[in-house]
Amino acid sequence: MDSALIPNGVRRCSLGKFLVPLAVVGAVLLWGVYAMLLCWFKGLNQTNMNDNYGFALWIWADLAVIALGGGAFFTGFLKYLIGKDELKHIINYAVLIGFICYSSALLILAIDIGQPLRGWFIFWHANVHSMLTEVAFCLSCYFMVLTIEYIPLILENRQIDKVPFFHHLSHNMHGTMAVFAATGAFLSFFHQGSLGGVAGVLFGRPFAYREGLFIWPWTFFLFTWSAAAYGPCFTLLVTRITEAVTGKKLVKDNVVELLAKISGWMMTTYIIAKIIDTLYWANVTAPSKGFNLIDFYSNNGFYGIWILVMEIILGGIVPAAILITDKGRKSPVVRTVAFVLAVIGVSVNRWVMVLQVMAVPVMPFDQWALYYPSWQEVATTILPVAYGIILIMISYRYLPIFPQEAELNPAE
Amino acid sequence: MKQEHGGNGTRKYGMVIDLDLCTGCGSCMVACMAENNVPFREDETDKLKSITWMRVYKLTNGKPYPETDICYLPRPCQHCEGSHGHSPCVSVCPATATDYDSQTGIVSQIYTRCFGCRYCMAACPYHARYFNWYDPIWPEGMEKYLNPNVSPRMRGVVEKCSFCFHRYQAAKDKAYLDGQKEIEEDAYQTACTQACPAGAITFGDLDNPDHAVHKLKKQPGAFRLLERLGTNTKVYYVSSREWVRRAGDNYLKTEGPKKVV
Amino acid sequence: MFPFNFEWIWDMSHMVFMGGLWYALIILGIGMTYCIVKAAIDTAKGGDGHGHH
C-alpha cells in the first residue's frame, strides 16, 4: 500500500506487519505523554524528587542520552573533518540516533523545570558563569545542527525527492554538510564538556568537585572525551539491534570495525584519564575537604564500591580492551558484548555524577538520601525511548538510511 | 551579574549562633515561617518536601549513657560569600535568579526569575534551598495574616532564607527618613533572632566593630559549617564542646578540628 | 543574551561566551540561507531535478 514511499532497491515488510509493533510502541508513548502532561499541569510533586534529590532519574537520562548521542558528532567529526570516508555508510544512522537523543534531552529538560513557561529565561537572562547556561545554549544550537543534518535524509524519500526544489535543497545541504558538521563538533565539545562541568564545579559537593584548567573542571574534559569514545558504541549497538530486528545485514563489517576500533582507542585513553582523575580526587581533592574515598561508598543501602568497579573496570577497561584487539573487534558477538558494556559504563558514569552526588551527605550530621522514582518519572523517562523506536521505524522504512543495504541484500 | 564594589555603606550581615544556649525549642523556625509567608501543607510527614528556611538539626555525640550529649543546631541559609561573592549557588544559577549582594553580603533569590531547574539546590551543601513542589495554599482565613511585605512564592520555584531582607529595606528607608547615614544595629534584626527566647542568635554587620557579632565571631569556640569547602559563610556558631565543633565540618580520622581564628 | 538585557556587561566572559553562541548561530543561519536560496535558483533554472548525486 505504501510501496511508492519505500526507497528503491530495498525490501520492507507489509504495512500491516509494520503497523502492529508501531501501535504497541505508540501505546507506550501515549503512557509517557500522559505522565508528561501530569507533570506539566500538576507540577513536579508528581515525582518522588525532594529537596535533597533535586536532580534525579530524568537528569540522569538526559545526561546519558546526550553521551550516547555523542556518536553523531564524533562520527561526523571523523568523516567530514578527519576524512574517514568509509563512515559515510553509517553517518546517516548516527545522525538519526543523535537527533533522537538530543530531541529527547531537550524534551526532558522541558519537563524537568518547575516553571516550564519560563524556560526561555535561561537564554534571555543568561548567567554566562553557569555551566547549565552553556549546556542550554550549545544543546539547542547543536540540536539545530542535527536537524539540519537530518533534513536532507527526509528529503531523500523517493516521493519528496521528485519535487525539484527539495531535490536541489537536499543536494546543496549535502554539499555544505562539512560546515555544519564542523559547527556541530565545535558545539558538542562545549556542551558535552559543560555537562561534565555541571557536576565538577560544585565545590559544595566534595563527591562531585574536581579541580581543573581555567574555568573548566577536569570533568568537563572527561565528559567530552567519554561522549566521543562511548557515543559511537551506542550507534553501533543500535545498528546491531536494527540488523537483528530486520534480519538483514545493513552495514559492512569493515565500517563497523573501523568505528569500533576508533571508539576502542578513544575509550582506552579516556579510561586512563578517568583512572588518573579518580586517583587524584580520592587521594588529594577529597581528603583536603575531610573525606576518605570510602566515605562516599559506605553506610548506605545502595552505593557501594561496586559502582566504581562497574563503571571503570566492567564498563571501561573491558570494552576498551575488546575493541582495541583485532580478535575482539572482528567477532560480531564479542564486539556486541563490548558495545553493551560500554553503554552501561558511560550510563553508570552519568548516574554517579548526578544521583550519587545528591545522595552523599556533606554535613557530618546529615544522612544519605536515597530515592526511588515515581511511575510518572519512569513513564516520562521511557517516553523518549518509545519516541526513538517510532522515529527509527518510520525512518528506516521510508528513507535510505543505510546506503549499503541494497548491495548487502540484493532483491531476488 | 553586575557587582557593585566597595564604597561607603558596604555591610556584611551575618549571624553568630551560640549552640550552648540553644534549647531546640523551634521558636526561630516558627517565627521565620510566619514572617516570610513560608507555605506548608496539611500533611508535613515527608520532611524532605517541607520548606523550612530556618531548620533546627539535632546533633548527638553518639556516645552511650551517661556520656550522651545532644546539641541543637539552627541552620538558616549560610549566605556564603565564597571567594569574591562566588558562592556555590549564585555561580551556578543559569538565569541569574539568585545573586550575591556585595552591599549587604546577602544572597538573594528572585522568585519571578527562577524557573525551577534546582541546580542551586544541588550546589548547596547545607540543604538551605527549598523547592516549591506544591502550590502554596493557606487554610481559609489565614491569607489575612500573611506578611504584606513578603511576596508569597509560586509552585515550581526555589526559595530560601533571605536574612529577612524586607526588614533591611524597611530599616534603610527609616534611616533615610530619619536623616541617618547608618542603619542602627537594632533597627535591622531578623525574625529568628528576635524570637529566640534563649538569646542564642545574634545578628548584625560582621565588619562593623560596633555590632555585637563582630566581637562574638572571634570568641574561642567559634566555627562555621563546612569551612573546608571554601564556602566562606556568614553564619558563625559557637560551642564550648569539642565534639560539637568537630561536627561542624568533615575531618579525616587522623585529623583534629581546625581552630577558627 | 543581548547587550540590552540588564545582566549584560562588556566583560571577557560575556564576549567569549556570547561570541561563541552568535558565531555558531550566524554560521548555521548563513549556511541554511545559502542552501535554500541556491535551491530556489537551481529550481528556477529548470532541469528535471534528478541525476545530481
Side-chain angles (χ1 to χ4, degrees), chain A residues 21 24 28 33 42 67 84 110 115-116 122 145 164 172 226 251 289 294-295 302 311 331 334 336 350 354 366 375:
Chain A
V24 174
V28 178
V33 169
K42 292 193 166 185
K84 296 276 176 199
Q115 285 278 339
I122 199 167
V145 173
N172 292 336
S226 58
V251 180
K289 317 278 177 199
I294 203 66
D295 296 334
F302 183 73
E311 180 197 337
S331 157
V334 179
T336 306
R350 296 324 193 237
V354 177
D366 215 353
W375 75 262

Side-chain angles (χ1 to χ4, degrees), chain C residues 23-39:
Chain C
Y23 173 72
L25 283 177
I26 288 168
I27 287 186
L28 297 183
I30 291 177
M32 274 314 287
T33 312
Y34 165 78
C35 290
I36 293 168
V37 170
K38 189 162 182 293

